[in-house]
Amino acid sequence: GKPKLRTTTTMSGGVGFSMSAEAEMDPDFQSGIALMKDKEYSQAAEILSGVLQKFVDQYGELAVECSEIYYQYGLALLREFEAKEDAEGGPDVFGQSVPKQVPTGKEEGGGE
């Protein structure tokens, strides 16, 4: 059957697919992740786009090796758009129908 993907916490703190060793070892991928952490979303998206193209050329569009790169690239594009909208004082990307913060059942600030 098909290989099963495990969901894990990614280096950027999001939930994504198990990272392929190939992506994890790619220096450009690491640079893109570092830029995401520094909130340099436009630069991160540009670098991750190149990494994704390289991996698609090598493994194919739907290869599991590309999954984490697709996720991080999409996240960079979304964060870039959100930052632009926030800077311009525009509406939220998802509009009023989706709350910016979703209750998780965990208390913020570590307690009372």
Side-chain angles (χ1 to χ4, degrees), residues 23-110:
E24 197 170 337
M25 293 187 314
D26 187 275
D28 290 333
F29 180 77
Q30 295 298 328
S31 295
I33 295 300
L35 286 164
M36 290 277 288
K37 287 180 179 178
D38 291 339
K39 300 183 190 239
E40 297 290 340
Y41 303 122
S42 181
Q43 289 177 279
E46 193 172 318
I47 287 175
L48 291 169
S49 172
V51 174
L52 182 58
Q53 188 59 57
K54 178 172 63 175
F55 272 64
V56 165
D57 290 347
Q58 185 171 351
Y59 298 104
E61 276 185 349
L62 301 178
V64 70
E65 289 84 357
C66 299
S67 62
E68 182 68 17
I69 304 165
Y70 274 116
Y71 175 79
Q72 295 296 338
Y73 175 56
L75 191 60
L77 292 174
L78 176 63
R79 296 289 183 255
E80 178 184 11
F81 186 78
E82 286 175 334
K84 180 181 175 208
E85 289 295 306
D86 284 348
E88 294 174 358
D92 187 352
V93 169
F94 295 109
Q96 304 234 345
S97 61
V98 178
K100 274 208 182 259
Q101 299 211 348
V102 179
T104 61
K106 294 181 182 178
E107 290 185 33
E108 288 188 32

